[in-house]
Amino acid sequence: MFHSFATDRTNRGPSMRNHLAALFGVWLGLAMPPAVFASIWSAEHDDLARVEKSGRVQIAFIADVQTLSPTSDGGTWLTAANGLWSLSRDGEVRAHIDFVNRGFGGVFRANAAAYDGSVWTSSDVALLLHFAMNGPLEHGTTLSAPAAALATDLDQSVWVITNGELVHFSSDGKWLETRSLHFAADELAVALAIDALRGRVWIATTQGIYQLASRAESTASPVTSLRGETAALAIDPMSGIVLAIVDGVLVALDDAGKRLPAFDLRVEESEQPLALLHDA
């Protein structure tokens, strides 16, 4: 089992964009052969690379990469200062969407869909957009506020946290449901993860980790699994084990939310976690 997280040291400034890492791993373990479903991408400054056992493979130079969301074919979607990009495994540009010039605002979040290489994105003007792998806009809707977190499900639907609510849209962009999260006014969502096999939604906030049955009644409130300031969240969709960085410590919860024996791993005070990755 492999656990990894990317951090940003405070002496690099406030942008937290100098080092990012993304891993496509067990999410498609049931559908993809083992040789295919491990592709690690990293971005440092303007240097984008794919990481393999033999070392880093230089791919491209794209300015100010902010987030990476790898696809099932070994490629990746990425957000950068000049918009949204889709790259093949070899670095070929499959699509570049200039959000500002197209009136979409600034790209804010991006999460690749599990099977078809498409991507769900949100913008800072509260748009939720779904793009095909080669760039065409497939669906779009307006949210009540910019998305604080978003995650795709195995059925290609998307879950979004916006304005203190969890909103679910189908794969074709139709609204399905909205649930109030009943968070405190000063509590902010940090990350969202979907356990499709067990029908659970996991939510990380600045005050704790919560779970909610994805097929529960819309009035059901999230159940608190752990209290503490959470900086990152990841899930192993095979076992349902949740990994999180809570109060600077890497912790694990089983699929029922019970804390497992602690890892002997603590984030240094001078570092800020950016991402948490899980490869079973």
Side-chain angles (χ1 to χ4, degrees):
M1 184 178 296
F2 169 78
H3 311 291
S4 176
F5 59 89
T7 64
D8 184 48
R9 296 183 184 275
T10 55
N11 60 11
R12 291 177 179 168
S15 70
M16 296 194 303
R17 296 173 181 171
N18 291 320
H19 182 77
L20 298 171
L23 173 67
F24 175 77
V26 296
W27 185 253
L28 286 185
L30 296 175
M32 302 296 292
V36 176
F37 66 73
S39 184
I40 301 175
W41 288 79
S42 71
E44 189 168 1
H45 303 290
D46 298 339
D47 179 12
L48 180 66
R50 193 179 68 251
V51 182
E52 298 180 345
K53 291 182 180 179
S54 58
R56 298 177 80 251
V57 178
Q58 180 68 46
I59 295 296
F61 288 92
I62 296 178
D64 196 19
V65 175
Q66 300 166 20
T67 62
L68 293 161
S69 187
T71 56
S72 59
D73 63 355
T76 190
W77 284 93
L78 63 86
T79 64
N82 56 354
L84 180 69
W85 298 74
S86 173
L87 302 183
S88 69
R89 177 179 173 82
D90 297 325
E92 178 183 354
V93 177
R94 296 188 287 212
H96 172 220
I97 298 102
D98 189 330
F99 264 48
V100 174
N101 286 340
R102 292 184 62 175
F104 297 149
V107 61
F108 194 47
R109 310 275 181 188
N111 196 289
Y115 295 110
D116 62 2
S118 65
V119 67
W120 287 92
T121 70
S122 65
S123 75
D124 59 7
V125 294
L127 293 178
L128 178 67
L129 306 170
H130 186 202
F131 294 95
M133 183 169 60
N134 57 350
L137 177 62
E138 296 189 332
H139 314 103
T141 190
T142 301
L143 303 171
S144 60
L150 67 87
T152 53
D153 210 330
L154 282 182
D155 62 2
Q156 307 290 80
S157 65
V158 63
W159 298 82
V160 182
I161 296 179
T162 176
N163 201 26
E165 296 177 324
L166 178 66
V167 188
H168 192 196
F169 294 91
S170 67
S171 60
D172 60 1
K174 295 180 180 179
W175 172 85
L176 296 175
E177 62 176 316
T178 299
R179 307 182 191 184
S180 178
L181 296 175
H182 307 291
F183 290 154
D186 60 346
E187 187 170 7
L188 303 176
V190 172
L192 183 63
I194 310 301
D195 182 356
L197 295 182
R198 279 154 286 270
R200 288 192 179 93
V201 177
W202 290 87
I203 302 169
T205 77
T206 52
Q207 296 185 21
I209 299 174
Y210 304 84
Q211 61 171 304
L212 182 68
S214 61
R215 292 179 288 272
E217 294 293 330
S218 59
T219 56
S221 297
V223 176
T224 304
S225 293
L226 188 65
R227 300 300 296 177
E229 183 177 0
T230 307
L233 180 75
I235 188 170
D236 171 13
M238 302 290 288
S239 67
I241 291 176
V242 173
L243 298 174
I245 297 176
V246 183
D247 293 333
V249 178
L250 179 63
V251 301
L253 306 175
D254 66 16
D255 60 357
K258 181 180 179 180
R259 187 167 179 173
L260 299 174
F263 295 96
D264 186 19
L265 183 59
R266 178 177 290 273
V267 180
E268 296 179 11
E269 292 185 0
S270 62
E271 295 181 320
Q272 172 64 43
L274 296 177
L276 178 61
L277 319 167
H278 188 292
D279 179 17

